[in-house]
Amino acid sequence: MSNTQQLEDLTTQVRRDILRMVHKVNSGHPGGSLGCAEFFVALYKEIMDRKDTFDMDGIGEDLFFLSNGHISPVFYSVLARTGYFPVEELNTFRLIDSRLQGHPTTHEGLPGIRVASGSLGQGMSVAIGAAQAKKLNNDTHLIYSLHGDGELQEGQNWEAIMYASGNNVDNLISTIDLNGQQIDGATDDVLPMGSIKDKFEAFGWTVVEINQGNNIEAILEGMAVAKSKTGKGKPVCVLLKTVMGNGVDFMMHTHAWHGKAPNDEQLAIGLEQNAETLGDY
Amino acid sequence: MLSTKRKGLLKIKELIKQIPTFVGITMKTYTNTGNKDTRSGFGAGLTELGQTNEKVVALCADLIGSLKMDDFKKNHPERFFQVGIAEANMIGMAAGLTIGGKIPFTGTFANFSTGRVYDQIRQSVAYSDKNVKICASHAGLTLGEDGATHQILEDIGLMKMLPGMTVINTCDYNQTKAATIAIAEHQGPVYLRFGRPSVPNFTAEDQKFEIGKALQLTEGADVTIVATGHLVWEALEAAKVLNEKGISAEVINIHTIKPLDDEAIIKSVKKTGCVVTAEEHNYLGGLGESVARVLSLNHPTPQEFVATQDTFGESGTPAQLMDKYGLNSASIIKAAEKVVKRKK
């Protein structure tokens, strides 16, 4: 168990990693990555019961699936800093011959990745399949997944959401990153979806809300509640309210940094706001 | 009264007629042991796998009866997933089920197995290297009366373009059953294509199905006929008639379109000097194009394509449709006669 300070230190370092990765190749998605930094740190350091080594089948451990694959910088940083591959490899993000592709893939053999994602809306179905495999294997570990709120506009999600409740997939905790932003602007402007909570509840899911999705303690508390709701016949949805670009003031509360890298000056400001805690790669 | 001379002439004509017949005696023939649908071969194979392989799971998108998956569902309800009319979710779930060591077989019509879920297959299955078996019935025109919305003629092309995807199109009940069992042992994504109607069942009941291995059905010297799926029997029928016409045809049953058995095709064509490809699919993206590529690289050869000509299908009986769109033995005969004349 880590204390909150340790988790916060790691989060700060992860933010630095994200900024430096996208800056170096002048591409990638910092906004959503920064918004989910606390969630990833909490998930990999505290919430999931996982093995130290990676094998694809993941029998006897909790598994995580990232559906909104464009936030690969945060995923890669946390995977590296929790021991799946060398931290130095973050240097190769989006470069030719790298295992750290623009969007996560199993194809290059990067430990920690169990399915490719990037084309949106597919991750929940995969998570449900993995959850059903766990049940068939009498494996009581859980499946976690993360999805963007804008991503819910993809219809396949609703096929999956319907299936999971209709078939009592109750070993699944799907988290929705509610940052209210997508590429073209606010989700409410691009395609208003109404209440996501009402929708999940209407589809028969148990919904847990984490209103401070950038607060580690709030995340730990909320995810503990979510975990306590598993095994009761219903899939569990966590609505994680986050701020896109969190931790870098000029990137916050806007969709502008969804898929844009900072320039040298902006990187310097961002790094100034996030002290080097564990050592840059 | 016929003159002696006239009698003699008739006798010679009679003898000439017998020459091709004589050639025919040497041609290997196949017996239809009774018409059966290929999808029932899939169902039977899946039933057997249910008993022999604990890892095999099956998913279906509201077409259990059509896909003949009833037995598997009845025998192994815990390993059967009815997903409803939601093919995208089915493909994603199948990818997920492999994580944990399962071997998922998905079942729906060919159109809904491919075109409808192309990106799901591309990202969650093929690019993710998942061991999913996409099993597709009602492929092609022989679906019949439901018409073009359901008669996919592009699926072979769609699937063969995906890196790492194995593409199989079986010709009869026995071969479909054998293929279904064989693909469970193959590590990697597979597209298994079969059909709706009852067609001649003529391959061996106890055959061992080898992925990527072409089967030479007849030996011939004048033309190679490379056929897949329902067109294999038509090719055999065509070969008989061609034989009577003095054209000896080597029929190759290509059940695996990818990886293609290049060697078998090159070997045969080097002998015959020309080829007809026959498939229930658009000529664009089908078996014919794969064969043409192999030959253009290795042994450029005149080729004729028995396939649909970049068109959608329509309602009708399977036989009417195969006739109208030129996918039967008559079309193969015509193509063979044409291609033989193109030889230099």
Side-chain angles (χ1 to χ4, degrees):
Chain A
M1 285 291 279
S2 316
N3 63 40
T4 309
Q5 187 57 48
Q6 286 170 320
L7 296 176
E8 278 170 2
D9 285 350
L10 176 54
T11 305
T12 308
Q13 189 63 50
V14 166
R15 284 201 207 105
R16 288 180 70 88
D17 290 349
I18 293 166
L19 292 169
R20 294 177 67 236
M21 285 162 78
V22 298
H23 168 264
K24 182 181 174 188
V25 291
N26 193 27
S27 74
H29 299 79
S33 295
L34 290 166
C36 290
E38 291 86 356
F39 176 76
F40 272 84
V41 166
L43 191 69
Y44 273 80
K45 290 300 282 185
E46 296 295 317
I47 299 161
M48 285 204 293
D49 175 20
R50 25 169 217 101
K51 293 187 207 157
D52 291 334
T53 52
F54 176 76
D55 71 273
M56 182 55 80
D57 283 345
I59 290 167
E61 64 178 326
D62 293 341
L63 307 181
F64 170 71
F65 293 94
L66 176 66
S67 189
N68 47 331
H70 57 276
I71 66 167
S72 57
V74 65
F75 196 14
Y76 293 152
S77 168
V78 170
L79 285 177
R81 292 195 179 271
T82 50
Y84 285 92
F85 56 86
V87 175
E88 300 75 54
E89 203 170 338
L90 296 176
N91 241 326
T92 69
F93 176 61
R94 285 185 172 234
L95 294 179
I96 191 91
D97 296 330
S98 172
R99 297 197 292 179
L100 278 63
Q101 292 289 298
H103 293 80
T105 175
T106 59
H107 208 64
E108 313 298 332
L110 187 69
I113 312 287
R114 288 195 164 82
V115 76
S117 60
S119 176
L120 294 173
Q122 300 187 24
M124 197 181 293
S125 301
V126 177
I128 291 168
Q132 296 287 44
K134 284 241 177 277
K135 290 198 176 198
L136 285 174
N137 290 334
N138 297 314
D139 182 348
T140 55
H141 284 81
L142 298 174
I143 302 293
Y144 292 88
S145 63
L146 181 65
H147 315 262
D149 48 1
E151 186 184 7
L152 294 177
Q153 290 158 7
E154 290 283 5
Q156 184 182 346
N157 285 304
W158 301 97
E159 294 183 4
I161 291 165
M162 207 184 306
Y163 180 91
S165 54
N167 291 278
N168 312 110
V169 183
D170 58 2
N171 53 346
L172 171 69
I173 300 177
S174 291
T175 298
I176 311 300
D177 175 16
L178 276 187
N179 62 22
Q181 306 286 339
Q182 57 191 106
I183 297 181
D184 277 352
T187 47
D188 279 346
D189 294 332
V190 177
L191 179 60
M193 290 183 282
S195 166
I196 307 253
K197 180 172 188 250
D198 288 353
K199 286 186 164 61
F200 270 92
E201 283 178 347
F203 275 75
W205 286 52
T206 297
V207 177
V208 175
E209 291 179 280
I210 301 179
N211 289 322
Q212 291 178 282
N214 295 110
N215 177 308
I216 298 244
E217 283 180 355
I219 294 168
L220 292 176
E221 202 179 307
M223 292 305 284
V225 173
K227 202 169 169 176
S228 74
K229 307 275 188 194
T230 58
K232 298 186 193 311
K234 285 181 172 190
V236 179
C237 166
V238 172
L239 298 180
L240 183 77
K241 217 173 263 178
T242 68
V243 174
M244 206 174 190
N246 187 61
V248 179
D249 58 8
F250 62 90
M251 288 187 175
M252 292 169 72
H253 304 288
T254 170
H255 65 274
W257 296 90
H258 168 92
K260 192 174 99 177
N263 61 27
D264 294 351
E265 196 186 330
Q266 290 160 335
L267 173 71
I269 298 169
L271 293 180
E272 211 169 280
Q273 293 171 11
N274 292 280
E276 187 177 347
T277 51
L278 305 176
D280 287 339
Y281 59 85
Chain B
M1 275 296 272
L2 291 169
S3 69
T4 315
K5 195 179 167 190
R6 180 95 175 112
K7 272 183 187 166
L9 205 63
L10 275 179
K11 186 138 194 200
I12 290 164
K13 274 192 174 173
E14 201 55 41
L15 277 171
I16 289 168
K17 257 192 188 170
Q18 280 171 9
I19 291 167
T21 315
F22 177 74
V23 173
I25 291 165
T26 64
M27 199 186 91
K28 191 169 177 191
T29 56
Y30 291 83
T31 311
N32 174 13
T33 58
N35 281 14
K36 268 178 157 178
D37 51 351
T38 49
R39 58 190 164 133
S40 286
F42 164 68
L46 194 63
T47 298
E48 195 171 312
L49 281 175
Q51 288 149 7
T52 58
N53 193 334
E54 277 285 317
K55 292 179 181 171
V56 169
V57 300
L59 303 90
C60 186
D62 197 31
L63 286 168
I64 296 169
S66 297
L67 268 287
K68 309 292 179 189
M69 296 169 95
D70 323 61
D71 270 356
F72 187 95
K73 184 192 175 213
K74 193 178 75 200
N75 298 339
H76 315 282
E78 75 292 350
R79 283 196 268 152
F80 183 82
F81 302 91
Q82 166 64 274
V83 300
I85 312 163
E87 295 82 7
N89 186 45
M90 175 169 74
I91 295 297
M93 276 184 63
L97 277 156
T98 66
I99 302 163
K102 304 302 165 198
I103 307 171
F105 281 62
T106 66
T108 183
F109 291 175
N111 186 32
F112 314 136
S113 291
T114 58
R116 191 178 177 95
V117 290
Y118 196 61
D119 190 44
Q120 283 78 15
I121 296 174
R122 182 176 180 274
Q123 175 172 283
S124 295
V125 176
Y127 186 44
S128 293
D129 311 305
K130 296 301 179 216
N131 193 23
V132 174
K133 316 303 170 187
I134 299 160
C135 303
S137 76
H138 294 58
L141 291 175
T142 50
L143 170 138
E145 292 80 354
D146 278 349
T149 53
H150 289 51
Q151 294 161 340
I152 194 161
L153 295 162
E154 309 90 46
D155 55 324
I156 291 173
L158 287 171
M159 291 297 109
K160 81 175 185 181
M161 282 195 294
L162 289 170
M165 182 68 71
T166 293
V167 179
I168 296 171
N169 185 19
T170 48
C171 67
D172 70 355
Y173 174 96
N174 286 342
Q175 191 176 68
T176 309
K177 183 181 173 188
T180 303
I181 293 164
I183 61 175
E185 298 297 324
H186 172 84
Q187 179 66 36
V190 175
Y191 178 59
L192 176 61
R193 179 196 212 234
F194 42 91
R196 172 177 182 249
S198 285
V199 292
N201 189 29
F202 60 96
T203 64
E205 203 181 341
D206 60 349
Q207 67 188 281
K208 184 178 172 337
F209 187 91
E210 231 179 298
I211 294 171
K213 180 93 182 136
L215 302 167
Q216 187 191 312
L217 298 184
T218 67
E219 207 178 321
D222 302 324
V223 61
T224 300
I225 304 174
V226 179
T228 190
H230 291 148
L231 270 293
V232 176
W233 177 257
E234 296 299 320
L236 287 170
E237 292 290 285
K240 277 194 232 165
V241 177
L242 287 166
N243 210 28
E244 284 162 19
K245 293 184 171 197
I247 297 172
S248 119
E250 185 150 297
V251 176
I252 295 178
N253 174 0
I254 287 281
H255 48 63
T256 308
I257 293 162
K258 184 186 167 189
L260 195 62
D261 190 344
D262 299 6
E263 267 179 46
I265 294 166
I266 295 164
K267 188 179 158 214
S268 175
V269 170
K270 273 186 177 165
K271 181 172 63 172
T272 61
C274 65
V275 64
V276 172
T277 52
E279 61 194 308
E280 191 178 345
H281 190 272
N282 195 354
Y283 78 91
L284 291 167
L287 165 70
E289 284 195 347
S290 289
V291 170
R293 178 183 174 278
V294 168
L295 293 177
S296 68
L297 287 172
N298 298 282
H299 190 77
T301 308
Q303 177 176 354
E304 290 292 325
F305 299 75
V306 171
T308 55
Q309 301 300 305
D310 200 17
T311 178
F312 290 105
E314 64 181 287
S315 292
T317 66
Q320 286 169 339
L321 289 162
M322 295 298 260
D323 184 50
K324 178 167 177 178
Y325 290 87
L327 301 182
N328 51 19
S329 60
S331 309
I332 296 172
I333 293 163
K334 233 187 274 173
E337 288 174 327
K338 191 172 169 193
V339 83
V340 165
K341 281 187 199 140
R342 286 176 56 201
K343 281 201 274 188
K344 283 187 181 134

